[in-house]
């Protein structure tokens, strides 16, 4: 009754919503979103998500009730880069299966930057991604998250190698059916099941619908963050507010691609980490290299 079979740990803007949809649709999976939300954000210690103090029973209550022959799990992108998440997960579920999906770190950083730039909480980010990587204060929250080896190594040191399943975002585009089949097989569920989202694009790029209204809301948000810091946590912990705001204020829109020079500059930040990651996960990542 207290067993959790799998936990997804990252990364954001890398296909986690698509993976989660594939899991939620499978008849043998009791995904957390079927009762509460996709991202429970329980095991991490860094703000804005602070839930660990609520206790393990609170965490278990976020899932559908146990059913014989079915597996339970969640996917929270805050876990991979958190300094305590891997230790907290191991403490409670030492034999759990760990799911990871990674994207070319250059594209990941750009997508994360553009996504956050549109939000109320991060609207004051630098005007260009070049300025972002030149300012050291943004490294922990943005740039450093693309150093996958650095963080994933902690999980490989804590969990059996056979319990960690690493997927690559680019495979969603190139060979989605094979990726899903391997995922289902790893989890020990029916690998012949074909989810309806298999060839669909989800959680795409966004753009503000009403710039003037967005700017006013950003100013109000800044005021509350400076004078009433609890507003920051209120926003993050009120999912309904976020969903409604997203629905009314944003529309789907593609970003202009990175130019080659900027791409090369960002790639140099991650070149050595990519090489180490190849050895760790035993996969050729030439598709990411320049």
């Amino acid at each position: 009754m207290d067993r959790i079979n799998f936990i997804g740990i990252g990364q954001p803007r890398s296909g986690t919503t698509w993976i989660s949809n594939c899991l939620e649709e499978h008849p043998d999976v009791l995904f957390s979103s079927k009762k509460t939300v996709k991202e429970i954000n329980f095991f991490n210690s860094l703000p804005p998500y602070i839930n660990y103090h609520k206790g393990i029973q609170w965490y278990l209550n976020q899932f559908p009730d146990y059913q014989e022959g079915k597996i339970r799990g969640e996917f929270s992108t805050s876990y991979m880069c958190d300094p305590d998440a891997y230790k907290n997960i191991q403490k409670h579920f030492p034999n759990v299966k760990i799911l990871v999906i990674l994207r070319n770190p250059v594209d990941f950083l750009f997508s994360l930057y553009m996504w956050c730039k549109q939000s109320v909480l991060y609207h004051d980010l630098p005007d260009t991604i070049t300025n972002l990587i030149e300012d050291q204060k943004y490294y922990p929250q943005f740039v450093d998250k693309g150093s996958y080896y650095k963080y994933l190594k902690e999980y490989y040191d804590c969990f059996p190698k056979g319990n960690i399943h690493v997927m690559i975002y680019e495979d969603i585009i190139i060979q989605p059916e094979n990726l899903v089949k391997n995922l289902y097989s790893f989890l020990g569920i029916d690998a012949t099941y074909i989810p309806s989202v298999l060839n669909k694009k989800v959680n795409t790029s966004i753009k503000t619908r009403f710039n003037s209204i967005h700017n006013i809301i950003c100013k109000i948000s800044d005021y509350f963050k400076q004078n009433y810091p609890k507003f920051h946590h209120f926003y993050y912990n009120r999912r309904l507010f976020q969903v409604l705001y997203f629905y009314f204020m944003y529309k789907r829109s593609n970003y202009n691609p990175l130019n080659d020079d900027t791409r090369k500059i960002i790639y140099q930040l991650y070149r050595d980490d990519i090489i180490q990651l190849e050895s760790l996960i035993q996969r050729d990542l030439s598709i990411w290299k320049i």
Side-chain angles (χ1 to χ4, degrees), residues 42 67 77 79 102 110 117 125 134 145 151 221 261-262:
F42 175 70
Q67 295 180 35
T77 59
Y79 293 157
L102 306 175
F110 180 59
K117 186 70 174 170
L125 287 174
E134 289 175 348
K145 291 183 183 297
Y151 295 105
S221 172
D261 289 339
T262 303

Side-chain angles (χ1 to χ4, degrees), residues 250-275:
Y250 297 111
K251 61 182 177 180
R252 304 295 181 184
S253 176
N254 292 325
Y255 306 138
N256 293 325
L258 280 171
N259 62 59
D260 290 341
D261 289 339
T262 303
R263 178 173 287 277
K264 289 177 181 177
I265 291 172
I266 298 174
Y267 171 72
Q268 290 304 314
L269 297 174
Y270 301 121
R271 185 179 65 86
D272 293 342
D273 189 86
I274 291 173
I275 294 172

Side-chain angles (χ1 to χ4, degrees), residues 141-182:
Q141 198 167 15
F142 288 91
V143 183
D144 206 40
K145 291 183 183 297
S147 299
Y148 304 142
Y149 170 82
K150 172 182 176 180
Y151 295 105
L152 199 54
K153 179 70 164 55
E154 304 285 6
Y155 282 88
Y156 273 83
D157 288 343
C158 275
F159 296 91
K161 183 178 179 180
N163 280 26
I164 303 176
H165 184 65
V166 179
M167 298 164 281
I168 303 300
Y169 170 86
E170 288 74 13
D171 284 344
I172 296 177
I173 301 169
I174 299 171
Q175 48 181 3
E177 188 168 351
N178 189 53
L179 183 149
V180 168
K181 183 179 294 185
N182 289 337

Side-chain angles (χ1 to χ4, degrees), residues 4-10 19 23 43 59 72 74-76 79-80 85-90 93-101 151-152 154-167 183 186-187:
I4 299 300
N5 304 89
F6 68 88
I7 295 175
I9 64 171
I19 291 293
L23 291 168
F43 295 103
Y59 177 71
R72 295 193 297 178
E74 59 133 333
F75 210 123
S76 295
Y79 293 157
M80 182 169 159
Y86 69 94
K87 292 179 285 188
N88 292 334
I89 294 173
Q90 186 196 42
F93 305 107
N95 297 312
V96 73
K97 291 184 177 180
I98 301 294
L99 306 180
V100 192
I101 183 160
Y151 295 105
L152 199 54
E154 304 285 6
Y155 282 88
Y156 273 83
D157 288 343
C158 275
F159 296 91
K161 183 178 179 180
N163 280 26
I164 303 176
H165 184 65
V166 179
M167 298 164 281
L183 170 62
F186 172 75
L187 294 174

Side-chain angles (χ1 to χ4, degrees), residues 120-135:
V120 173
L121 296 176
Y122 297 101
H123 68 93
D124 56 351
L125 287 174
D127 291 335
T128 69
I129 193 168
T130 302
N131 291 337
L132 181 86
I133 65 176
E134 289 175 348
D135 193 332

